[in-house]
Structure formats: C-alpha cells, structure tokens
Amino acid sequence: VTATLTGLLLGDIRTGMIMAASLEAIFMGISAIGGSIPADACASSIIAVAYTILTGADVETGLALAMPIGTLMGSANEMWKPALAPYWERLAGSGRVKAFRTQVIGCGLFLDRLPQTIIMFAAIAFGVQGLEHVMNGMPAFIMSGLSAASSMMTGIGFAILISMIWNREIGWFFFIGY
C-alpha cells in the first residue's frame, strides 16, 4: 500500500504499483522471530519507490535498493528504544495501569516512528541527487547485476514464506492459488 501511495503522490502510480507487487512478494516472508530485527518493508518501500521515480531509474534497480534500505531502517528504528526501557519498566512496576496504557499508546502513535520519519524525509529530500549521481556513474555490469539480483529477490521472498508454512495439509493451497 505504501509503495502505491508513494507512486500516486509522486505522479507515477504505475511504477508504484509495479514495485508494490514485487516488494510485497519480497517482504512477505520476513518476520521478527526471537530477538531478530527484520527489514522494515514500509520504510524501504517508500524510499525505494521515491528514488526510482525521482531519479528515473528502472524498477529493478529500485527493487535491489529496497532490501538494504529496509535492513538499515529496521535497525535505525530500534536503536533508540533501549534508552526508554528503564522508564517503561519503572512505570509498569508502579502499578499505574491507566498512565502506562496511555503513554504506550501515545508513544506508539507519535514517537515510535519519529526517527524513521526524519530519516525518510532527509533521504528523499536531500539524497536523490547523490543517489542519481552514484547510479549514473556505475558501470553497466553492476547495473545488470542489480537487475538480476532484484529479479531473484521475488523468488527468494516466496521461498522464505513457503519454508515457514509448508506442510502436507495446506501445501496444495499454494498451487491452487496460482
């Protein structure tokens, strides 16, 4: 949805929709298991679609940029949270359930994505020219490698998803779906 909306806002909904479908296939198998921090599909979709449209790059290049951007954004979004952990622990231990609930909801609505929003704004507002310069300076074999890698990422996303859900009872639904 965010990739399509980004394409709509930037005046190229076709590119947004094409990238949205591919990015969904790439990211649908990624999940937070245990203490791992998965790639941030939402932020990487917004940045990758914006870079693709604003620089005039091809879709494959934008898709190849999405996974590293998502990994960085997932990490950046989690970096500031440990600083608040002692406060949340004290508040939870105080027994003030209503205050705790209100602050958790407020933090989730307003503070949780603030660092990510700032990074996305700066990346799109100030980083497009730099990225365009770098992409124009890349040799053709690197660009073709990025294209090949992005083509494989959709298949890898499906493979990750299938490896998590596959069993004899429901596996045939996957094939019926196609």
Side-chain angles (χ1 to χ4, degrees):
V1 173
T2 57
T4 303
L5 290 176
T6 303
L8 177 68
L9 291 172
L10 294 175
D12 190 356
I13 193 166
R14 181 178 182 276
T15 300
M17 290 177 73
I18 290 169
M19 289 188 70
S22 298
L23 289 168
E24 179 65 29
I26 291 167
F27 285 114
M28 90 171 72
I30 297 176
S31 59
I33 299 171
S36 69
I37 300 171
D40 189 338
C42 181
S44 67
S45 297
I46 292 169
I47 293 173
V49 170
Y51 278 160
T52 301
I53 292 171
L54 295 174
T55 62
D58 57 351
V59 171
E60 290 82 14
T61 303
L63 293 174
L65 293 172
M67 189 57 80
I69 290 170
T71 303
L72 289 172
M73 291 301 290
S75 299
N77 197 41
E78 296 297 320
M79 286 180 147
W80 68 278
K81 291 181 181 179
L84 292 176
Y87 172 74
W88 292 114
E89 289 172 0
R90 281 193 310 277
L91 185 61
S94 71
R96 298 179 10 226
V97 176
K98 189 173 182 177
F100 181 75
R101 184 180 306 128
T102 303
Q103 289 185 28
V104 166
I105 291 170
C107 182
L109 291 174
F110 301 109
L111 293 179
D112 191 40
R113 297 293 179 162
L114 185 62
Q116 182 182 40
T117 304
I118 293 168
I119 292 169
M120 284 193 306
F121 173 77
I124 294 169
F126 306 115
V128 173
Q129 291 84 14
L131 181 65
E132 187 174 26
H133 180 70
V134 168
M135 287 172 30
N136 289 338
M138 283 189 188
F141 72 91
I142 291 178
M143 295 305 287
S144 65
L146 284 174
S147 177
S150 69
S151 298
M152 290 185 287
M153 286 171 42
T154 304
I156 291 170
F158 274 112
I160 292 170
L161 179 66
I162 290 171
S163 71
M164 290 191 305
I165 66 168
W166 188 265
N167 66 38
R168 292 180 186 209
E169 289 81 31
I170 63 170
W172 59 277
F173 284 108
F174 176 78
F175 294 106
I176 290 174
Y178 287 98

